[in-house]
Amino acid sequence: MSFDTIKCNDYPGEEPNWELWDVLEQAVRFNLEKYGIDGFRIDIGHVLPIPLLTRIFDTVKEMNPNALLISEDLFNRNHRKAANTGYNIMLGSGWNVMTEITKENLVSFLEELPELNIHVFACAETADTPRITSRGGVGVARMIAVFNQFLPNAIPYVTTGYEMNEEQPLNCGLGDNTNGEEISRAFF
């Protein structure tokens, strides 16, 4: 099913939806006060209006100056924009590099990491990608687990099940290697 979408960062509209913005800010406040949340991953935040993100981030920083603000942005090339927006971590390109593991991909990835303005996650898989075991087996999964512990400007990240060499994907929205095959996916 296809439908038209509007990227609010490109087309914010003539007047913000203040009621919605208030609800989002209240949700952030509630989670910080009630549960002591120490960070937020903003799903598809890179398409939200910057003033909305600034408002949310200001609220978070006011209540917890050390909170983590994680951008779901999928590519390292967007590191400057994410950092300038107020994020201090982004998903980054690791999942993509590890979709097709080659010496060239890994060397290129390693060379760009020290130059990033923001930390990225060192991960071979996410909740939206096939499992690393389906792309190289248990041996590759273990090797990448060690590799990811030593990357500059990167934070090791483990998707639930990775530690058990899980093969069933949670979802395959990114880097799908199933060729459209009907397989069980844990999210669904």
Side-chain angles (χ1 to χ4, degrees):
M1 175 184 209
S2 290
F3 51 91
D4 292 332
T5 60
I6 298 173
K7 290 178 58 179
C8 294
N9 61 328
D10 289 335
Y11 307 101
E14 293 179 18
E15 185 176 327
N17 183 338
W18 295 116
E19 293 82 10
L20 176 60
W21 288 27
D22 290 343
V23 168
L24 294 172
E25 183 181 2
Q26 289 168 11
V28 166
R29 283 187 182 282
F30 175 81
N31 280 283
L32 286 161
E33 290 170 355
K34 177 85 173 171
Y35 301 111
I37 299 296
D38 60 1
F40 293 88
R41 174 186 170 269
I42 312 295
D43 194 40
I44 311 178
H46 53 281
V47 301
L48 295 176
I50 300 298
L52 171 58
L53 289 173
T54 300
R55 180 175 169 183
I56 290 171
F57 293 172
D58 287 348
T59 298
V60 171
K61 290 173 187 172
E62 168 194 317
M63 298 180 72
N64 181 352
N66 299 314
L68 301 176
L69 297 168
I70 304 167
S71 171
E72 185 198 21
D73 204 307
L74 306 172
F75 301 102
N76 290 359
R77 67 178 175 257
N78 299 323
H79 68 101
R80 283 184 193 87
K81 182 178 180 188
N84 291 338
T85 300
Y87 292 104
N88 46 30
I89 302 172
M90 65 185 278
L91 178 57
S93 301
W95 68 273
N96 194 28
V97 169
M98 313 239 177
T99 296
E100 184 180 338
I101 300 173
T102 65
K103 178 182 175 183
E104 294 77 26
N105 281 353
L106 292 177
V107 167
S108 177
F109 182 62
L110 281 171
E111 289 175 345
E112 75 179 347
L113 288 175
E115 306 302 318
L116 301 179
N117 293 7
I118 190 171
H119 287 85
V120 294
F121 284 126
C123 59
E125 62 186 41
T126 75
D128 293 316
T129 66
R131 296 294 188 162
I132 188 66
T133 52
S134 73
R135 293 177 268 148
V138 172
V140 167
R142 289 181 179 166
M143 184 269 304
I144 292 297
V146 173
F147 176 80
N148 282 341
Q149 301 300 309
F150 299 98
L151 298 179
N153 210 15
I155 301 167
Y157 170 97
V158 175
T159 301
T160 301
Y162 184 95
E163 74 286 359
M164 301 296 295
N165 300 310
E166 178 63 62
E167 294 180 6
Q168 181 184 16
L170 298 170
N171 187 12
C172 288
L174 301 170
D176 189 356
N177 65 353
T178 66
N179 295 321
E181 183 181 335
E182 290 293 324
I183 62 169
S184 295
R185 291 181 170 101
F187 272 177
F188 306 102

